[in-house]
Amino acid sequence: MKRNIIAKAIFSIALGAIIGFTATTALAGVGHGPKTNIGTPGKASAATRTIEVKMHDNYFEPENISVKEGETVRFIVKNDGEFVHEFNIATGEMHKAHGPEMMMMMEQGVIQADKIDWDAAKKMQASMGHGVHNDPNSVLLERGKSGEIVWTFPENTKLEFACNVPGHYDSGMVGKINLSH
């Protein structure tokens, strides 16, 4: 109990610093960056294997993932951390571009330290065109929750998986996806 209170206090302090530092950036624009071939949603029946990913507070397990170009992989993602986390497959540039949208989700009350307010997400979606966070390359999870992504990987692209909840990517919650022939 005491650990949770301390963790939430640290999160709140860090969030305040992040909001103060990036407030102007958050208003500069939203989106996921330039169109890059990061792959396509796949079908579970076409998956060659399943990779289990655990999200902890500011790191992933495994830290890096190796897949073959063209391979379809089923990811089972579980949030074993205390806070809300995201598993998102994209390029580094796309993660950077996604940051302001995630910041807006915090500012609108969608993403809270340890929960997601889906009613606020629906309101944000209706008024701004985003907020529900239902992209096929990403899953946003409360602590203890699990989700699934089935993804077919492209050829010759530099990909990462990352958590874009404000402050998490910058604190190291990112891993490489190594593509091989």
Side-chain angles (χ1 to χ4, degrees):
M1 178 79 160
K2 191 174 186 179
R3 191 178 116 212
N4 285 346
I5 292 169
I6 292 169
K8 286 180 183 179
I10 291 169
F11 181 82
S12 296
I13 291 166
L15 176 61
I18 292 165
I19 288 172
F21 181 74
T22 60
T24 55
T25 305
L27 299 174
V30 288
H32 298 95
K35 297 293 180 199
T36 301
N37 183 13
I38 63 167
T40 58
K43 293 183 180 180
S45 61
T48 57
R49 61 190 166 126
T50 298
I51 297 176
E52 292 184 11
V53 176
K54 293 184 180 186
M55 298 186 294
H56 300 279
D57 292 328
N58 296 330
Y59 71 95
F60 290 100
E61 192 179 330
E63 293 178 4
N64 297 297
I65 295 171
S66 294
V67 297
K68 293 179 182 172
E69 294 174 340
E71 183 179 11
T72 300
V73 177
R74 179 177 175 235
F75 293 95
I76 303 296
V77 183
K78 182 168 187 217
N79 184 352
D80 281 341
E82 293 291 322
F83 304 116
V84 170
H85 290 296
E86 175 191 44
F87 178 82
N88 185 308
I89 299 168
T91 65
E93 191 173 49
M94 292 170 78
H95 287 300
K96 184 177 181 181
H98 184 47
E101 181 179 323
M102 297 294 284
M103 179 61 75
M104 288 176 72
M105 290 174 71
M106 289 193 99
E107 291 168 347
Q108 297 293 317
V110 175
I111 299 174
Q112 299 172 21
D114 60 353
K115 70 177 188 167
I116 302 165
D117 183 334
W118 292 109
D119 290 331
K122 290 174 190 170
K123 288 178 187 173
M124 185 176 171
Q125 186 75 32
S127 68
M128 298 181 183
H130 57 85
V132 176
H133 205 276
N134 59 356
D135 295 316
N137 64 315
S138 178
V139 62
L140 182 67
L141 299 170
E142 295 175 335
R143 64 182 176 176
K145 301 289 183 181
S146 295
E148 178 178 302
I149 295 174
V150 180
W151 200 251
T152 301
F153 287 89
E155 294 181 8
N156 197 24
T157 302
K158 291 183 180 180
L159 295 175
E160 305 174 334
F161 57 96
C163 178
N164 294 295
V165 171
H168 295 200
Y169 185 100
D170 293 332
S171 68
M173 198 165 179
V174 58
K176 285 186 178 181
I177 297 175
N178 301 307
L179 293 174
S180 64
H181 301 295

